Amino acid sequence: MRPVGELWVYLAANPLLHLTLTLIAYLIGNRIYRRFGMNPLLNPVVIAIVILVGLLVATGTSYERYFEGAQFVHFLLGPATVALAIPLYNQFDRVRKSAGPLLAAVVLGSLAASLSAVAIAALLGAGPQIVASIAPKSVTTPIAMGIAEQLGGLPSLTAVLVILTGVTGAMLGPPLLNLLRIRDWRARGLAIGVAAHGIGTARAMQVNEVAGAFSGLAMGLNALATAILLPLLWSWLF
């Protein structure tokens, strides 16, 4: 029988290993999440991240090496985002009737997310580069990284902040909305989509189709609004 170390070296040479580990980690997280009644504080993405980070650190595996095998999951982000159009289409009549308030809420939400991030970072003494990196934190990762680069920020740091924002929004958003007694699924989905982009939208989709549809739409519109408004505000503020 091979020693454990030699066995790991053999398995690590297979690019499908890290894809398999990613899927297993998420399945474990999802099992725990459902076992405890879909408690938002036990978000399966968070659990999967903790498991994978622990494995990579324990085995001395670099992120680059991990990504070689797990990049298929990254590729599927595109089709998954496009697939959000299906529940949106099913709820098109509701979306059409709410078009005015929806657009106003997205624009105001986009401004609030960006300006609050900039203000907090600046008050804590962060430099312009860090502030620029955190400003688009509520936008989906590829667009946020592009905005940050345009503003002079660090795209890699922005990617981490975006993920943290999405995870935090998915975990704390539903309890906060319950605390505020916001029951309308349209409003709940809209708030989650603007604040927590794709990860929050995935959570909203699990809970209610209407919330998921509005969250997906809000995520897309927020990305568009932030890409237009934030560079204009940045040139004015800085």
Side-chain angles (χ1 to χ4, degrees):
M1 181 178 292
R2 295 185 178 184
V4 175
E6 291 184 13
L7 181 61
W8 176 258
V9 171
Y10 170 75
L11 290 173
N14 188 341
L16 290 179
L17 170 66
H18 298 117
L19 173 61
T20 303
L21 290 176
T22 302
L23 296 177
I24 291 175
Y26 181 79
L27 288 174
I28 292 173
N30 193 52
R31 182 63 180 270
I32 294 173
Y33 172 62
R34 294 184 180 280
R35 173 66 179 79
F36 290 91
M38 299 177 70
N39 188 323
L41 297 179
L42 295 174
N43 189 283
V45 175
V46 177
I47 297 173
I49 289 174
V50 171
I51 293 173
L52 288 171
V53 169
L55 284 173
L56 296 184
V57 172
T59 58
T61 304
S62 67
Y63 175 77
E64 291 75 16
R65 178 62 179 163
Y66 162 77
F67 189 73
E68 286 180 12
Q71 59 184 319
F72 184 64
V73 176
H74 183 267
F75 166 78
L76 288 176
L77 286 175
T81 302
V82 174
L84 291 174
I86 296 175
L88 181 60
Y89 175 79
N90 292 336
Q91 302 296 327
F92 181 75
D93 191 51
R94 291 189 180 187
V95 171
R96 181 177 57 81
K97 293 178 180 178
S98 307
L102 188 152
L103 291 174
V106 168
V107 172
L108 292 175
S110 174
L111 291 172
S114 299
L115 292 177
S116 62
V118 169
I120 293 172
L123 288 173
L124 293 176
Q129 192 174 46
I130 301 300
V131 175
S133 301
I134 198 175
K137 64 174 180 56
S138 292
V139 181
T140 188
T141 305
I143 298 176
M145 292 175 69
I147 296 173
E149 187 174 15
Q150 181 183 354
L151 300 181
L154 300 170
S156 57
L157 176 59
T158 299
V160 174
L161 293 170
V162 168
I163 293 173
L164 288 175
T165 299
V167 167
T168 303
M171 293 175 63
L172 302 182
L176 178 59
L177 292 171
N178 290 338
L179 183 64
L180 295 174
R181 298 183 179 180
I182 297 175
R183 308 300 182 193
D184 191 313
W185 288 114
R186 297 170 299 174
R188 291 175 69 96
L190 194 66
I192 292 293
V194 170
H197 51 82
I199 298 177
T201 298
R203 163 65 182 164
M205 195 72 70
Q206 289 179 327
V207 176
N208 182 273
E209 184 177 351
V210 174
F214 275 78
S215 183
L217 179 61
M219 178 183 72
L221 292 177
N222 181 45
L224 178 61
T226 304
I228 294 172
L229 296 175
L230 186 55
L232 296 175
L233 288 171
W234 189 263
S235 63
W236 178 63
L237 293 172
F238 297 93

